[in-house]
Amino acid sequence: MLKLGILDQSPVLTGEGAAEALRHTLALAQGADRLGYTRFWVSEHHNAKGLAGSSPEVLLAAIGAHTSRIRIGSGGVLLPHYSPYKVAENFRLLEGLYPGRVDLGIGRAPGGMPLVSQALGRSSGKEREEAFERSLTELGSFVGTGTPLETEHPLAGLSATPDVPTVPDVWMLGSSGYSATVAAKLGARFAFAHFINGHGGQSAVRDYLRHYRPGPLGGKPGVAVCVFVLCGEDDEEAEREARALDLRLLYLEQGEFNRAVPSDEEAERYAYSAWDRARIADNRSRMIVGGPATVARLLPAFARSYGADEVIVTCMMSRADRRLRSYERLARLFIR
């Protein structure tokens, strides 16, 4: 049976605000726990008013308190902005609260415009890239998946607290071959963001599995792939629901990061150009859209194309109740 997890970006819906988006995320996590999904990840975005999730660690603390079984995790913490030591302590604390349920997903994207990096006080550009693998090695030592830092390291002997008996699972998240290479080199599990880049992911995963070796971020390989999935009552309804996401992706390509998820009416009346329609057709490579019969056929084939252990599904619709129903349909198809 195909394993399914969820990535939720806390999208702000038309006519609502960020507080409502966060409440929808919490309710969705409770629903996912009830439905039997394997994991529930939340994202990190900055200076983007269309997405409410700017601090996954804080949101995960609330989600863990309102769920009982499902794994919870970051999709992901943007490590170049932060001290590896502080990230490790945040996730060791979560692991202490919710033992055996925590995933530490790591990304390297800025999560916003250059001003975000400046405001967060971390390096950018070439300096950041050169420091990334070093930060990952330090993170593994502090979070508990790696060995202690070597004696010549300036932080040798430092321990991250709390001192709890279990450790989070560490995932590298990425939409390119670079992240797959780093994950394989350092021993992390790897999740490919097909919902961001619909091309080249299968090759990245094959390279990851071919070159994987245990390292400071873990001791065994694991593969997940994240994709947009909209499962309607039938194909026709799913296509109607997908229009809001089609338009949202167009807005993002135009640099409009602060827009809410469009309403049905906005998506219907938008004056699409020929170029817009070509972009929509290309963006559909990042989605699986259909009724239950269509999704039941397409989603397992998609997972097989990656050789993935699990599919992380993400869904944006114009209304929160419709989004939940999509996840409920998926659960009926694939979760027993």
Side-chain angles (χ1 to χ4, degrees):
M1 183 62 63
L2 182 63
K3 292 194 295 183
L4 290 182
I6 291 175
L7 168 67
D8 190 62
Q9 296 180 294
S10 302
V12 177
L13 306 181
T14 294
E16 297 186 352
E20 289 91 346
L22 294 172
R23 287 195 286 271
H24 291 322
T25 290
L26 185 56
L28 182 58
Q30 292 172 303
D33 194 36
R34 169 178 53 83
L35 292 167
Y37 281 85
T38 58
R39 67 190 79 242
F40 190 91
W41 288 355
V42 295
S43 62
E44 177 180 338
H45 293 87
H46 302 283
N47 195 35
K49 294 182 180 179
L51 300 172
S54 58
S55 179
E57 303 94 329
V58 175
L59 190 51
L60 290 173
I63 290 170
H66 288 84
T67 56
S68 60
R69 179 205 60 82
I70 196 167
R71 294 190 66 88
I72 59 174
S74 55
V77 168
L78 305 179
L79 184 63
H81 291 315
Y82 307 120
S83 152
Y85 184 72
K86 183 58 176 174
V87 172
E89 292 207 318
N90 285 340
F91 278 81
R92 287 180 73 92
L93 181 56
L94 287 168
E95 184 69 27
L97 291 170
Y98 313 115
R101 293 178 56 200
V102 178
D103 295 328
L104 170 50
I106 295 294
R108 68 183 184 98
M113 301 303 287
L115 279 177
V116 167
S117 296
Q118 181 179 335
L120 289 169
R122 300 297 287 177
S123 59
S124 60
K126 188 173 186 295
E127 179 186 353
R128 187 188 68 198
E129 294 293 337
E130 291 174 348
F132 185 55
E133 289 189 34
R134 183 169 65 252
S135 292
L136 287 168
T137 299
E138 291 179 5
L139 177 68
S141 295
F142 292 136
V143 84
T145 54
T147 58
L149 296 172
E150 296 179 355
T151 54
E152 61 270 20
H153 193 284
L155 300 178
L158 181 64
S159 297
T161 55
D163 184 11
V164 294
T166 58
V167 299
D169 286 346
V170 179
W171 291 77
M172 277 292 301
L173 316 179
S175 56
S176 70
Y178 172 79
S179 297
T181 298
V182 173
K185 178 180 178 181
L186 298 182
R189 294 167 171 84
F190 178 60
F192 187 85
H194 188 96
F195 76 106
I196 294 175
N197 178 11
H199 307 285
Q202 290 90 341
S203 175
V205 166
R206 285 194 297 271
D207 287 344
Y208 163 79
L209 291 172
R210 185 180 305 117
H211 298 293
Y212 179 89
R213 66 172 187 259
L217 299 181
K220 65 177 183 179
V223 172
V225 56
C226 185
V227 62
F228 285 120
V229 179
L230 284 76
C231 187
E233 185 175 333
D234 52 35
D235 286 355
E236 183 178 357
E237 181 189 85
E239 284 295 327
R240 288 196 302 269
E241 294 290 349
R243 292 172 187 168
L245 179 55
D246 288 335
L247 181 55
R248 174 170 174 76
L249 295 179
L250 283 181
Y251 285 148
L252 292 176
E253 290 179 355
Q254 296 162 9
E256 298 187 38
F257 303 112
N258 292 328
R259 283 183 176 268
V261 176
S263 65
D264 295 340
E265 294 75 18
E266 183 180 355
E268 183 66 30
R269 68 172 180 264
Y270 187 87
Y272 296 94
S273 67
W275 173 255
D276 291 335
R277 297 194 183 281
R279 292 304 309 138
I280 287 171
D282 185 67
N283 283 335
R284 283 299 183 95
S285 68
R286 299 152 61 183
M287 308 180 201
I288 292 174
V289 177
T294 297
V295 173
R297 174 174 53 85
L298 294 180
L299 193 56
F302 172 78
R304 287 194 297 272
S305 76
Y306 269 89
D309 307 316
E310 182 174 347
V311 176
I312 310 293
V313 294
T314 186
C315 178
M316 282 193 190
M317 290 184 173
S318 58
R319 286 173 27 189
D321 60 332
R322 294 175 180 172
R323 181 173 52 164
L324 178 58
R325 284 199 294 272
S326 177
Y327 286 121
E328 288 173 340
R329 293 186 186 102
L330 285 173
R332 287 195 292 270
L333 287 173
F334 298 109
I335 300 173
R336 296 291 184 266

